[in-house]
Amino acid sequence: MKKLNTTRRAVMRGIAVAAMIAAGCGIAAPSFAQTSLRLAVPDPADSSVGRAATRFAELVNEKTGGEVTIQVFPDGVLFGKDQNAAINQLGSGALDGLILATSVYASFEPKMNAISLPYLFSNYDQLKAYLAGEPGQELLTSLDRLNIKGLGFFLRTFRDVTTRDRAITKAEDFKGLTLRTPNNPLFVRLFQALGANPTPMAFSEVYSALQLKAIDGQENPVEVPYNNRLYEVQGQLNMTQHLADSFLLGLSSTAWAKIPEEHQDAVQEAAELMISEHDAEEIRQEEEIIGKLKEKGMQVNDFADGELEKVQEIARGIYGEFEDKIGADFMKKSIDFVKAN
């Protein structure tokens, strides 16, 4: 026992001497990340949102010198693929970080519905300006009451309708179509106004419902039908571009507090750089994906002359129904901001 104690003391003296030598020579002692956080995403690692999460993790590591690290968990594995549950878990601190669509957040913060007012945005420059500008900042701040620190929004391309065999080129072509939508009142009401039969459904059920012809079609950014092979059960890609959506990158307030104050600005900068890179790439890839869907046999349809204006008039006619939910002041602020940009 005496020999063991002597050995232990020798080892400890050796460590102390090594540390003093390292300090005297200006050699940095080995360091480990002060903060390691887990970031959950709903889609596969190679999806658009999965790649965005990975890039954010790379930038955080780079900008904090490895003092803060992010582990990405794709496919909804950390929240059982229940997206509403994910937001609850984020607010409680059970999840450190989350990337999720603002249309899902709208169930918790109704102001988020403003982003998805149909045909609010005419182009991606307007959408980017809105998300990065005063309206977007107000939406991020609104998450404080949920104990969520919003780091920023990154865009998704506009949503389009796919159908089995009916081309949509006129306003009347929506009539009678049974279309899957997210379980969001704004999405449902839009397609009711257009004469379709909106059917809220979990996305995991969509392929089989299309295959069994239980529904005629669905609506999503073009990446979704491509990545999920919906071209196998859908023949028509209709460029309706009917509403916008975006992804929100958020951390729980608990996780944000774990990040040393001297690194918080770096994490925010990492988020902003990722968003800038992602938005440019997302817009560029939209045309590529449309081309790939054509190669898979889908027919791409645009509105006939004058028909887009008819659809827009119908769609904007439902704005008043959501004024109380979104808030009259914020709806007006959103519309005025877009008109000015």
Side-chain angles (χ1 to χ4, degrees), residues 117 119-123 125-127 129-130 135 316 319 331-341:
L117 285 169
Y119 294 107
L120 177 62
F121 303 102
S122 300
N123 54 60
D125 285 341
Q126 286 182 339
L127 177 57
Y130 180 93
R316 289 168 179 161
Y319 281 19
M331 179 180 279
K332 183 177 186 304
K333 180 183 292 186
S334 296
I335 293 170
D336 290 346
F337 184 93
V338 174
K339 285 180 178 177
N341 287 272

Side-chain angles (χ1 to χ4, degrees), residues 4-36:
L4 180 59
N5 288 338
T6 301
T7 303
R8 183 181 293 121
R9 284 195 297 271
V11 169
M12 295 304 294
R13 281 198 302 270
I15 292 173
V17 170
M20 286 188 290
I21 292 172
C25 297
I27 300 172
S31 64
F32 300 93
Q34 293 183 17
T35 309
S36 181

Side-chain angles (χ1 to χ4, degrees), residues 253-325:
S253 296
T254 303
W256 180 252
K258 289 178 183 177
I259 300 171
E261 286 189 18
E262 64 266 28
H263 295 310
Q264 288 180 347
D265 285 347
V267 173
Q268 182 66 58
E269 290 169 8
E272 292 168 3
L273 180 54
M274 178 277 286
I275 289 167
S276 176
E277 292 177 355
H278 167 87
D279 286 356
E281 182 70 4
E282 188 81 349
I283 294 167
R284 184 188 67 78
Q285 286 187 338
E286 183 178 33
E287 284 302 318
E288 291 182 9
I289 294 172
I290 293 170
K292 290 176 180 178
L293 289 170
K294 282 183 180 179
E295 291 173 3
K296 296 295 184 180
M298 294 195 79
Q299 177 176 312
V300 179
N301 308 302
D302 294 307
F303 283 119
D305 289 347
E307 293 298 320
L308 172 60
E309 290 75 14
K310 292 180 184 178
V311 173
Q312 288 174 330
E313 184 177 359
I314 294 169
R316 289 168 179 161
I318 72 169
Y319 281 19
E321 299 175 34
F322 291 87
E323 190 173 85
D324 288 343
K325 183 177 286 290

Side-chain angles (χ1 to χ4, degrees), residues 52-65 68 70 266-267 269-275 277:
T54 299
R55 180 58 175 153
F56 173 60
E58 292 171 352
L59 289 167
V60 167
N61 185 66
E62 174 187 312
K63 288 181 174 294
T64 66
V68 180
I70 306 286
V267 173
E269 290 169 8
E272 292 168 3
L273 180 54
M274 178 277 286
I275 289 167
E277 292 177 355

Side-chain angles (χ1 to χ4, degrees), residues 135-173:
Q137 289 306 306
E138 183 169 337
L139 289 174
L140 290 177
T141 302
S142 73
L143 299 174
D144 291 350
R145 67 178 179 80
L146 301 176
N147 294 317
I148 294 171
K149 168 66 176 178
L151 296 180
F153 300 100
F154 54 102
L155 65 77
R156 304 179 80 184
T157 53
F158 294 139
R159 299 174 80 98
D160 298 298
V161 174
T162 66
T163 46
R164 185 169 49 254
D165 48 29
R166 186 190 299 183
I168 298 176
T169 61
K170 304 185 297 296
E172 63 191 43
D173 291 334

